């Protein structure tokens, strides 16, 4: 692998995260439950990880603030605009595949 500095690694990872968030904001047709069923994470997971990182760095942000960062708008607004009721098949798949606590 090409030698890169720690600072470059952080820059690249941050750019990838921003691109992923932007992509997910533009793909509001992709439902969180489908992401969970296929990949094991969703927008809420990303916002939780973002909040965890902030808190670890000593910045206390709320769950709502971290979700707004990922969704690009308040979560409740996003749900009203884009979230559909999950089908029985989606719910059943989630129960089979949901992360173990």
């Amino acid at each position: 692998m090409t030698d890169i500095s720690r600072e470059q690694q952080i820059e690249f990872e941050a750019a990838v995260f921003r691109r992923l968030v932007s992509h997910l904001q533009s793909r509001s047709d992709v439902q969180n439950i489908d992401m969970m069923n296929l990949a094991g994470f969703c927008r809420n997971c990303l916002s939780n990880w973002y909040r965890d990182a902030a808190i670890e760095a000593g910045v206390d942000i709320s769950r709502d603030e971290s979700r707004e960062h990922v969704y690009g708008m308040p979560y409740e607004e996003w749900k009203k605009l884009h979230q559909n009721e999950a089908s029985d098949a989606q719910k059943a798949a989630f129960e089979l595949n949901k992360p173990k606590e």
Side-chain angles (χ1 to χ4, degrees):
M1 181 168 161
T2 302
D3 286 335
I4 60 173
S5 68
R6 179 72 178 133
E7 291 79 18
Q8 287 174 311
Q9 179 182 351
I10 291 168
E11 283 179 36
F12 300 160
E13 291 169 350
V16 169
F17 176 78
R18 287 189 298 270
R19 188 170 179 179
L20 173 61
V21 166
S22 176
H23 177 75
L24 292 174
Q25 288 175 355
S26 72
R27 290 297 310 270
S28 58
D29 59 311
V30 178
Q31 298 293 298
N32 281 338
I33 194 161
D34 293 324
M35 291 176 63
M36 285 298 295
N37 288 340
L38 293 172
F41 79 99
C42 69
R43 292 171 184 87
N44 289 340
C45 297
L46 286 177
S47 69
N48 291 341
W49 301 338
Y50 184 89
R51 183 172 186 254
D52 291 345
I55 290 170
E56 188 175 305
V59 178
D60 187 24
I61 67 170
S62 70
R63 188 174 88 170
D64 288 339
E65 289 172 315
S66 66
R67 283 188 173 182
E68 187 166 343
H69 182 80
V70 170
Y71 284 90
M73 65 182 69
Y75 179 57
E76 292 303 318
E77 182 179 339
W78 189 91
K79 285 190 334 183
K80 287 177 190 173
L81 291 172
H82 305 294
Q83 187 167 308
N84 301 320
E85 180 66 30
S87 70
D88 290 341
Q90 288 171 314
K91 292 175 187 177
F94 179 77
E95 287 304 315
L96 287 174
N97 298 312
K98 70 181 175 183
K100 310 296 184 248
E101 295 186 23

